[in-house]
C-alpha cells in the first residue's frame, strides 16, 4: 500500500516531463534509515574508474561521467503541495479517488469515537488538508505523537468531505510522524495567541494562519513589484547598503564599523578603540578608512543609474536609527524607489498610481484565500477598500488646497494647520478617510522649506514639485518628487540648507553632464504590506522586526 | 513638424489602451518653460470648489473630484525607447518611414562634409540610435553643444541606413539639447577608459557599453531568479540585515551601532562613548541594547520559514568585514539562499542545477545583444561556455573521489591535497576546467571537520551532506547542504565546536517541534554576474562596490 501511494507522488516538472530522481528517493525522507547516498552510489562507483583515468585523459573522463548530454536541463523534483490539490476552482473535487501523499505540520488533532481528524498544513496555502484516521490506519500506534506542531507524512485516498468546511479530505491509509512536538512545551497551541506574544516566537509564528497569510501576501506584493517594473522596462539596480558619503545627514543613521570588533574577553575595552592624539575616534583605522553608515535611501544612487539607463528601480533594505517605539516605525525596512528619466511630476504621479493599482490588483487576483481570511478576521471590508484603490480615480490636490480643506473643516486637530507647516498623520488621514471617503489622495506642490534640497523648485518660487500619496489607515504610503535638474538651482538649495557641496560632487556631476528632467518616488514596503493585509502593527509585516532594544533571531 | 513628431510619440499601455496624459505634457520635458503644472490646473480649479463643500459633505466632494470611476486603472505614459525600435528581429526595419522622437545621451558626434552623425543611447539596449543631421536641421545652431555625454531630444523620420553597422538610422528634422556636457571635463571620453579608472567615476560608468550591458544582464539574472523560484512555488522571505544573535561568530562581522553617533564637532570623542565601570563599551546603551552586527547569511532565519511554508528563498545583501583586497571579494554583496523542506542533498543538488541552468538560459535568450558584446569584447567563447552549462549534465563526484582525482593528476599545486583539507580555488578550477573540460561539477560529502555545524552528518561518521557547485573561471559558485534535523546530533556538533547552545535556542526549537529533513544552498549573486558576463573583477559586477578602504558614492 505504501509503495502504491509512493508511486502516485506527484512529480511536477515545470518545463519538460523528465524525472531524474527515483521514487525511492522521494520515500527516503520519512525513513532516515535509508541512506540518502544510496541512489548516488552507483554513479559514484562508475565515476571512480573514470577518475583514475582522468588525469591523463580529461576528455575521456568527462565523457564517462556524463552520459548523454542535455538530459537534465532545468528540472528538479517537486513535492506535491496542498495548494496543488485544493488551490483550484473546484477546491480539490477533481482529486477524489486519487492516491496521494502530503507532508506538513499538524495544526490540530481531534479524536472522535471511531475516527480521528488531523489537520495538516504545509504552508503552500491557508487551507489544511483534513486527514481522517481510523484505528486501522497504518502507523495509528503513533497517534499520541500526532500533536500540534508535529511534522507528518500522510498517505491515502482523496474523498469528498462530509463536513461543510472543505470539499475534500484524505482517507489516510498510513501516517508517519517525521518530527515530534512536545505538546506541553510547544509555544503555539490551538488557542489564539496574541500578536505581542507571537513576536517573542518569531521563528514559529509563520506556522499560524495569520502569519502564513501575511508571508504569502508579502511575497506576492514583492513579486508583483518586480513584474510591474520589469514589464514596463525598468531595470533593477542595487543601491549600496553601506555608505561613507556624507550626503544623507548622520542624525538618524547607524554607524557601521570594525573598530569595536577586537573584543576582549568579556566585551570591547574602550582603550582598545583606535584614537587620535586629541582623543577622537581614529576613523582612518576603520574598515572603510572613514565613518560609514547604513543607508537611509537609495535615491541619490538610483538617480545616477537613471541618468544612464533611463528607468530604474531599487528594492532593498534601508535603515533609521530613530528611537520611535510605534506601530508605524521599524529600524530596518525594505524600500522600493523607482526613478524615471525624461519625466516630470505628472509622470511620477501616474507611475505611482499605476504601480499601486497593479500590485493591489495582483494580490486580489492571486491571493484570494488569504485576502478572504484578512477580510473576515483582521479588517472587515478590506477587500472593498482595496477594490476601490484599483477601480477609482485617485484624488489630486495641491498642498495649498489641502490646507484650505483642513482649515475649512470643522474638525479640531491636535497639530496646527497653517500654510508652511508639514501635514501630520491626523491631517492626512482626515483627507483620505473623511474628506474623500476612503479614496487614495495625491497631494502635490509642497512648500520648499519643509521638503528636501533635491526637489525641483516650481516657478512660483515658494513650492517644490513634490507629491505624497495618502491612503486610508496608513496615511502616507508613497512620497516622491521631480528632482532639481538645474545645476545652479541645486547648488543654491545646498547653500540655503548649509549642506557641503563638495560631498555631493558626484550628485552634482549628473547636472553637469547631460542633465535631464527626472522624477521618482519611494515606498516603504512594510507600509504596503500593512495597507494590503490590514495588519495593525508594522512589526507583524516583516519576518524579523528590528526596533529599539530588539534585534532578536 | 515638431507637433507632428510629438503626435507620433509612442504610448505603450501595458494592460488597456487608455492614454491619460496629453501630448502636450509629453513635449514639456525639453521645454521647461512650459509650466509642468499647466495640465493639472484645470483639475485643480474644479477641485477647489469641491473642497469648499467637502467639510460638510465629504461624499459630494469626492464625487465632484473624481469623474467616472475606473478610468485610470493601471496605466502611465511610457517613453519610446531605442530598444522598442531596434530591439526586434528586424532591427527596426519596420519603422522605416515613421516619425519618432528619441531621448538619450550622446555617445559620439562625427561631423562630415555635408552631414553630422550623432550616436544617441538611452540605456534601454546596447545599440545607439544613429542620428543624421544636416545644416538644415532645426536646432543645428546648437551643434557645438552636441558633445559626448550631453542629453538630447531628437525628432525625425526613420530611414534605412547606408552604413553596415545598423539597419536603420534617424533623419533628424529637429534636435534639442536638454543638458550640456562640457567636452573638456566630461570624464568618459570616446577613447576606451580602463575599468580601474571607471571605478573612480562609478556614478557615470553605467553610460559605457560595458557597464550598461553588465547592468542589464545583472537585472535579467535577478528577475530570472525571482521567476524561477516563484514559478516553482517558493516564497521570498526577507531575512534580517541587522542581527544581534550570536549565531554567526563575530570574527568577520561589521558592528552596527549608535554609540558613536553623538559626534562632537571634528569627530566622535572617545570619552563620549558610554562605558561600564571596568572600561568596556556599555552595550546596554546601544540602540539594540546589545552588540549588533550586519548579517553574513540569512540561512538560519530562512530555515525557520521553510519549517512553516516548506519552500522559501531569500535574496538580499550580506556582509563580510574581511580584509581581502582581491578580485573575488566584496564587503557587501547580494546572496540568494533557497531552503527546501522535506528535501535531502540530492534534491538540493537537483534544485541548484535547475536554477543555474534556468537563469543562464534566460539571459542567453533575453539578453542576446549584450551577450554578443561580452562574447566579442570581454571573454571570447563565453556564449559557448554558457550553452554548455544549459545543455550538458553536471558532473557529480564525492569529495573523496575529488581528492583521489587531484592526487592522481600530474599537476603541481601550490596548496597541499590531502583527505581532510579543504579544496582551494586552484584545485576547484583544475577539476572543472581541466579534468572535466569546462563542465560544472558538484562535489559532495565533505569531511565534517571543515564544514559548518549545521550540516547533516552522513552515516559514515566522517562526512557531512554538503555540496559545492564549481564552474570554470569562478570556482565555487554555489555551496549547500542538507541541514542536521536531528536535535541530539545538532547539539553534539555545537558542543564539539564549542558553540553556545543557548544562543541557538530558536534554531534548536525547529528540531524540537516538527523537525523535517531540509536542505538549501547559497549563491553569491555577484559571482553569478561574473560567471555570466566574463567580467574579471567582482567590483565591476555591482553598481557601487564596497571594499576595504572604500565605500564611496
Amino acid at each position: 500500500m505504501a509503495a502504491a501511494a509512493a508511486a502516485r507522488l506527484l512529480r511536477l516538472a515545470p518545463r519538460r516531463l523528465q524525472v531524474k530522481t527515483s521514487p525511492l528517493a522521494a520515500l527516503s525522507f520519512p525513513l532516515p534509515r535509508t541512506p540518502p547516498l544510496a541512489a548516488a552510489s552507483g554513479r559514484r562507483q562508475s565515476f571512480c574508474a573514470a577518475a583514475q583515468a582522468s588525469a591523463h585523459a580529461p576528455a575521456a573522463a568527462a565523457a564517462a561521467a556524463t552520459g548523454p548530454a542535455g538530459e537534465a536541463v532545468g528540472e528538479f523534483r517537486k513535492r506535491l503541495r496542498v495548494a496543488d490539490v485544493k488551490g483550484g476552482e473546484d477546491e480539490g473535487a477533481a482529486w477524489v479517488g486519487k492516491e496521494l501523499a502530503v507532508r506538513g505540520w499538524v495544526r490540530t488533532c481531534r479524536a472522535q469515537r471511531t475516527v480521528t481528524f488531523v489537520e495538516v498544513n504545509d504552508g503552500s496555502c491557508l487551507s489544511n488538508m483534513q486527514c481522517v484516521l481510523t484505528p486501522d490506519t497504518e502507523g495509528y500506534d503513533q497517534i499520541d505523537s500526532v500533536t500540534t506542531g508535529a511534522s507528518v507524512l500522510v498517505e491515502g485516498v482523496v474523498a469528498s468531505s462530509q463536513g461543510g468546511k472543505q470539499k475534500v479530505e484524505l482517507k489516510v491509509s498510513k501516517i508517519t510522524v517525521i518530527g515530534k512536538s512536545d505538546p506541553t512545551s510547544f509555544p503555539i497551541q490551538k488557542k489564539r495567541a496574541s500578536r505581542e506574544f507571537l513576536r517573542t516566537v518569531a521563528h514559529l509564528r509563520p506556522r499560524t494562519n495569520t502569519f502564513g497569510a501575511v508571508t504569502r501576501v508579502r511575497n506576492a506584493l514583492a513579486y508583483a513589484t518586480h513584474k510591474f517594473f520589469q514589464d514596463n522596462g525598468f531595470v533593477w539596480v542595487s543601491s549600496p547598503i553601506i555608505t561613507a558619503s556624507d550626503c544623507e545627514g548622520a542624525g538618524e543613521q547607524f554607524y557601521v564599523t570594525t573598530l569595536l570588533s577586537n573584543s576582549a574577553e568579556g566585551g570591547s575595552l574602550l582603550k582598545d578603540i583606535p584614537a587620535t592624539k586629541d582623543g577622537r575616534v581614529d576613523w582612518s583605522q576603520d574598515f572603510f578608512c572613514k565613518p560609514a553608515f547604513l543607508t537611509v535611501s537609495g535615491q541619490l544612487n538610483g538617480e545616477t543609474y537613471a541618468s544612464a539607463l533611463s528607468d530604474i528601480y531599487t528594492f532593498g533594505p534601508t535603515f533609521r536609527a530613530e528611537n520611535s517605539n510605534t506601530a508605524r516605525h521599524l529600524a530596518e525596512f525594505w524600500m522600493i524607489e523607482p526613478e524615471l528619466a525624461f519625466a516630470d511630476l505628472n509622470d511620477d504621479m501616474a507611475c505611482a498610481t499605476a504601480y499601486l493599482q497593479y500590485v493591489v490588483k495582483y494580490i486580489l487576483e492571486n491571493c484570494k484565500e488569504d485576502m478572504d481570511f484578512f477580510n473576515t478576521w483582521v479588517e472587515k471590508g478590506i477587500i472593498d477598500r482595496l477594490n476601490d484603490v484599483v477601480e477609482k480615480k485617485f484624488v489630486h490636490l495641491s498642498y495649498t488646497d489641502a490646507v484650505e480643506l483642513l482649515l475649512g473643516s470643522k474638525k479640531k486637530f491636535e497639530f496646527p494647520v497653517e500654510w508652511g507647516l508639514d501635514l501630520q498623520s491626523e491631517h492626512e488621514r482626515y483627507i483620505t478617510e473623511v474628506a474623500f471617503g476612503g479614496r487614495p489622495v495625491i497631494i502635490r506642490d509642497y512648500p520648499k522649506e519643509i521638503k528636501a534640497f533635491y526637489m525641483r523648485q516650481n516657478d512660483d518660487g515658494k513650492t517644490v514639485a513634490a507629491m505624497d500619496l495618502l491612503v486610508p489607515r496608513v496615511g502616507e504610503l508613497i512620497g516622491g518628487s521631480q528632482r532639481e535638474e538645474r545645476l545652479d538651482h541645486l547648488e543654491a538649495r545646498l547653500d540655503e540648507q548649509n549642506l557641503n557641496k563638495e560631498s555631493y560632487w558626484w550628485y552634482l556631476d549628473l547636472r553637469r553632464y547631460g542633465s535631464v528632467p527626472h522624477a521618482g518616488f519611494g515606498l516603504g514596503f512594510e507600509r504596503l504590506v500593512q495597507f494590503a493585509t490590514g495588519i495593525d502593527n508594522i512589526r507583524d509585516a516583516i519576518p524579523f522586526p528590528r526596533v529599539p532594544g530588539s534585534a532578536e533571531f
Side-chain angles (χ1 to χ4, degrees), chain A:
Chain A
M1 179 65 225
R8 291 209 60 86
L9 280 174
L10 260 211
R11 312 234 184 295
L12 306 172
R15 279 162 299 284
R16 289 192 231 156
L17 279 167
Q18 293 180 335
V19 177
K20 292 281 101 187
T21 39
S22 73
L24 200 68
L27 249 192
S28 69
F29 306 143
L31 306 166
R33 281 165 305 255
T34 307
L37 301 183
S41 63
R43 184 170 47 217
R44 200 208 297 177
Q45 282 168 10
S46 72
F47 168 72
C48 267
Q52 300 302 325
S54 71
H56 305 147
T66 313
E71 267 181 28
V73 178
E75 291 116 34
F76 67 103
R77 191 184 56 76
K78 281 180 70 179
R79 219 171 18 87
L80 175 70
R81 308 176 313 148
V82 173
D84 298 328
V85 178
K86 296 183 70 177
E89 288 277 309
D90 69 350
E91 297 171 43
W95 287 76
V96 170
K98 295 191 177 161
E99 287 180 15
L100 55 82
V102 169
R103 294 172 171 82
W105 292 267
V106 173
R107 285 290 172 85
T108 60
C109 182
R110 287 174 293 127
Q112 296 191 348
R113 218 179 318 166
T114 54
V115 294
T116 299
F117 293 99
V118 181
E119 298 283 336
V120 177
N121 188 285
D122 69 359
S124 63
C125 59
L126 193 82
S127 284
N128 304 319
M129 180 62 80
Q130 175 163 299
C131 301
V132 187
L133 279 67
T134 69
D136 294 336
T137 302
E138 190 180 340
Y140 193 82
D141 53 326
Q142 299 179 53
I143 195 73
D144 290 344
S145 299
V146 181
T147 58
T148 302
S151 52
V152 292
L153 163 65
V154 280
E155 296 163 270
V157 178
V158 179
S160 292
S161 178
Q162 305 301 315
K165 284 178 72 182
Q166 62 274 314
K167 284 265 168 59
V168 298
E169 60 191 18
L170 193 68
K171 302 278 183 210
V172 179
S173 53
K174 179 179 178 184
I175 185 165
T176 313
V177 176
I178 301 173
K180 296 183 186 184
S181 174
D182 175 19
T184 58
S185 67
F186 184 60
I188 303 176
Q189 295 297 336
K190 198 173 157 188
K191 65 175 162 33
R192 290 182 74 180
S194 76
R195 302 230 182 101
E196 288 71 24
F197 168 74
L198 289 174
R199 272 173 228 140
T200 68
V201 287
H203 60 309
L204 298 174
R205 67 178 181 169
R207 299 193 195 177
T208 63
N209 281 338
T210 301
F211 287 93
V214 168
T215 304
R216 285 184 297 269
V217 170
R218 181 182 164 96
N219 170 65
L221 288 168
Y223 190 48
T225 296
H226 288 295
K227 273 180 80 73
F228 174 84
F229 287 115
Q230 297 283 339
D231 288 350
N232 285 294
F234 288 62
V235 172
W236 176 70
V237 170
S238 43
S239 49
I241 311 301
I242 300 171
T243 171
S245 94
D246 303 334
C247 294
E248 308 181 40
E252 293 179 348
Q253 286 187 281
F254 288 101
Y255 277 68
V256 174
T257 182
T258 53
L259 292 181
L260 303 174
S261 64
N262 295 317
S263 52
E265 193 76 36
S268 298
L269 287 164
L270 232 59
K271 70 176 177 55
D272 290 341
I273 299 174
T276 59
K277 279 179 190 160
D278 56 348
R280 297 176 193 280
V281 174
D282 184 1
W283 296 113
S284 73
Q285 296 193 47
D286 206 355
F287 190 90
F288 298 107
C289 302
K290 55 159 93 174
F293 312 94
L294 289 180
T295 184
V296 299
S297 160
Q299 180 200 315
L300 305 193
N301 298 90
E303 285 183 52
T304 69
Y305 269 67
S307 298
L309 292 143
S310 295
D311 295 334
I312 63 95
Y313 70 108
T314 71
F315 187 178
T318 50
F319 305 85
R320 295 281 187 289
E322 200 178 348
N323 205 352
S324 299
N325 252 311
T326 79
R328 286 169 50 83
H329 291 89
L330 291 168
E332 171 182 315
F333 57 98
W334 286 67
M335 191 127 91
I336 294 155
E337 295 184 285
E339 191 74 30
L340 295 75
F342 307 102
D344 64 11
L345 189 64
N346 289 320
D347 299 315
D348 200 35
M349 289 161 56
C351 181
T353 303
Y355 165 75
L356 186 60
Q357 291 181 323
Y358 180 89
V359 297
V360 168
K361 194 161 178 233
Y362 187 90
I363 57 160
L364 289 173
E365 289 174 354
N366 290 280
C367 305
K368 283 203 170 98
E369 188 187 32
D370 290 323
M371 293 311 299
D372 283 340
F373 172 83
F374 292 124
N375 205 43
T376 306
W377 296 103
V378 176
E379 181 196 336
K380 289 208 194 316
I382 188 172
I383 290 180
D384 287 342
R385 173 163 72 72
L386 294 176
N387 270 321
D388 281 356
V389 170
V390 175
E391 287 167 12
K392 290 194 178 159
K393 222 173 145 179
F394 289 17
V395 179
H396 294 183
L397 74 163
S398 70
Y399 167 87
T400 303
D401 289 335
V403 169
E404 273 180 49
L405 183 154
L406 292 168
L407 291 173
S409 80
K410 291 247 163 72
K411 182 149 168 66
K412 289 274 165 254
F413 294 108
E414 187 185 345
F415 291 92
V417 175
E418 187 188 322
W419 201 100
L421 297 180
D422 208 357
L423 301 181
Q424 301 296 320
S425 193
E426 56 170 346
H427 308 136
E428 295 175 340
R429 292 189 61 171
Y430 174 82
I431 292 170
T432 172
E433 291 174 9
V434 182
F436 294 104
R439 279 166 54 212
V441 176
I442 301 179
I443 300 181
R444 58 181 286 168
D445 301 322
Y446 283 79
K448 68 176 181 177
E449 282 74 18
I450 59 174
K451 288 292 183 182
F453 74 92
Y454 52 72
M455 297 187 178
R456 191 179 197 277
Q457 288 186 67
N458 289 326
D459 292 344
D460 62 14
K462 294 187 296 186
T463 61
V464 289
M467 63 104 174
D468 281 355
L469 193 159
L470 318 178
V471 292
R473 293 180 59 100
V474 169
E476 184 197 324
L477 185 63
I478 289 174
S481 69
Q482 187 171 344
R483 321 305 188 186
E484 185 57 80
E485 87 281 14
R486 297 162 298 186
L487 182 62
D488 52 347
H489 284 70
L490 187 57
E491 289 187 321
R493 286 286 284 159
L494 286 167
D495 288 339
E496 272 175 41
Q497 301 201 8
N498 289 318
L499 292 164
N500 176 7
K501 268 185 289 195
E502 310 216 330
S503 57
Y504 291 91
W505 68 274
W506 54 273
Y507 189 67
L508 293 170
D509 264 7
L510 301 182
R511 281 74 183 167
R512 288 190 188 102
Y513 306 115
S515 186
V516 299
H518 61 293
F521 62 85
L523 170 135
F525 186 58
E526 283 72 24
R527 294 255 171 103
L528 178 65
V529 174
Q530 284 188 281
F531 176 68
T533 61
I535 287 288
D536 276 331
N537 195 314
I538 201 164
R539 299 174 193 207
D540 299 329
I542 189 168
F544 300 96
R546 272 68 183 102
V547 294
S550 173
E552 296 306 312
F553 303 103

